[in-house]
Amino acid sequence: GAVVSQHPSRVICKSGTSVKIECRSLDFQATTMFWYRQFPKQSLMLMATSNEGSKATYEQGVEKDKFLINHASLTLSTLTVTSAHPEDSSFYICSAPPSQEGNIQYFGAGTRLSVL
Amino acid sequence: TQLLEQSPQFLSIQEGENLTVYCNSSSVFSSLQWYRQEPGEGPVLLVTVVTGGEVKKLKRLTFQFGDARKDSSLHITAAQPGDTGLYLCAGGQDSNYQLIWGAGTKLIIKP
């Protein structure tokens, strides 16, 4: 299957700082990528759809000014958590669907964000 | 709003037992995918089913897509401790890449 790389895998930061998470498709181009948030023992919650060369589409209740998404190339999307607070602590996961494989999404390994 | 109901949400059984996880919806999906996720990692795709009535086998795991493409099941035969994890079903549609996710099944296989 296709490979999606997500970095960093874990980050600890102070309240008020910004954190950038990168998601790269290593062996395919992705015009669309997805960003999810996952709480302990729960399923994935879609935060936003990242679109190459255009604005991201945010799900209801997700603050676009809080979670900045940039998809500047066909292999890279970034999620920046701005002015992070303890309630932003969570597991963030990105995914990308290779265009030739329909709805199948390949996932990054996730980023554990802890805001102190 | 499309929903995909997954059950059970939690299952703890002894090694060697069989189990089935279900995903049901009132909506029709173009595909149904099953993922397995371990703590601290991203979900890993197990299988995709696209045809109504389709059955796929992956060693001791059997996946079935309902005839109407509204439901799916995952059956594990002779479960092993290595099968422990969070199992997620997700329904896909032709119109876009987005997936509709089940709530997940936390499976624990005790040795």
Side-chain angles (χ1 to χ4, degrees):
Chain A
V3 179
V4 174
S5 174
Q6 185 173 343
H7 179 81
S9 59
R10 186 177 182 97
V11 58
I12 302 172
C13 68
K14 293 182 179 180
S15 185
T17 60
S18 295
V19 174
K20 180 185 284 188
I21 303 170
E22 292 187 348
C23 184
R24 296 180 183 272
S25 55
L26 296 187
D27 51 0
F28 65 98
Q29 293 182 333
T31 56
T32 300
M33 290 186 178
F34 298 99
W35 287 96
Y36 294 89
R37 185 171 179 175
Q38 187 176 33
F39 294 99
K41 301 180 182 179
Q42 293 188 23
S43 187
L44 306 178
M45 182 184 75
L46 180 65
M47 297 175 65
T49 302
S50 174
N51 304 298
E52 188 269 334
S54 64
K55 292 182 179 180
T57 305
Y58 290 82
E59 296 300 300
Q60 192 172 8
V62 178
E63 298 176 56
K64 57 184 65 177
D65 295 331
K66 174 76 170 175
F67 299 99
L68 299 179
I69 291 174
N70 183 276
H71 195 152
S73 78
L74 288 171
T75 59
L76 174 63
S77 175
T78 61
L79 168 68
T80 301
V81 183
T82 62
S83 186
H85 288 93
E87 58 265 30
D88 299 323
S89 298
S90 192
F91 192 56
Y92 294 88
I93 314 175
C94 69
S95 74
S99 58
Q100 68 275 21
E101 296 190 38
N103 300 117
I104 294 176
Q105 292 184 19
Y106 292 94
F107 286 82
T111 297
R112 171 70 59 192
L113 172 62
S114 300
V115 185
L116 305 177
Chain B
T1 303
Q2 290 184 296
L3 293 174
L4 192 53
E5 297 183 354
Q6 185 172 347
S7 64
Q9 291 196 14
F10 180 78
L11 186 58
S12 178
I13 60 174
Q14 291 293 139
E15 179 178 2
E17 294 184 12
N18 303 330
L19 67 109
T20 303
V21 178
Y22 300 93
C23 276
N24 298 292
S25 176
S26 58
S27 303
V28 176
F29 293 107
S30 59
S31 67
L32 203 296
Q33 299 163 37
W34 286 91
Y35 293 83
R36 178 168 170 264
Q37 184 182 22
E38 299 204 33
E41 299 181 11
V44 174
L45 179 69
L46 295 174
V47 78
T48 300
V49 285
V50 297
T51 305
E54 183 176 3
V55 177
K56 281 191 174 179
K57 291 193 174 185
L58 187 65
K59 296 184 179 179
R60 294 176 291 100
L61 278 60
T62 301
F63 304 85
Q64 187 165 7
F65 203 11
D67 291 341
R69 291 185 291 139
K70 294 182 179 181
D71 55 270
S72 182
S73 64
L74 157 61
H75 182 80
I76 301 179
T77 304
Q80 303 294 313
D83 297 326
T84 293
L86 178 67
Y87 289 80
L88 297 158
C89 63
Q93 304 160 287
D94 286 330
S95 57
N96 57 50
Y97 290 121
Q98 282 195 16
L99 296 174
I100 307 298
W101 290 89
T105 296
K106 174 64 176 175
L107 176 63
I108 296 176
I109 309 300
K110 295 176 286 187

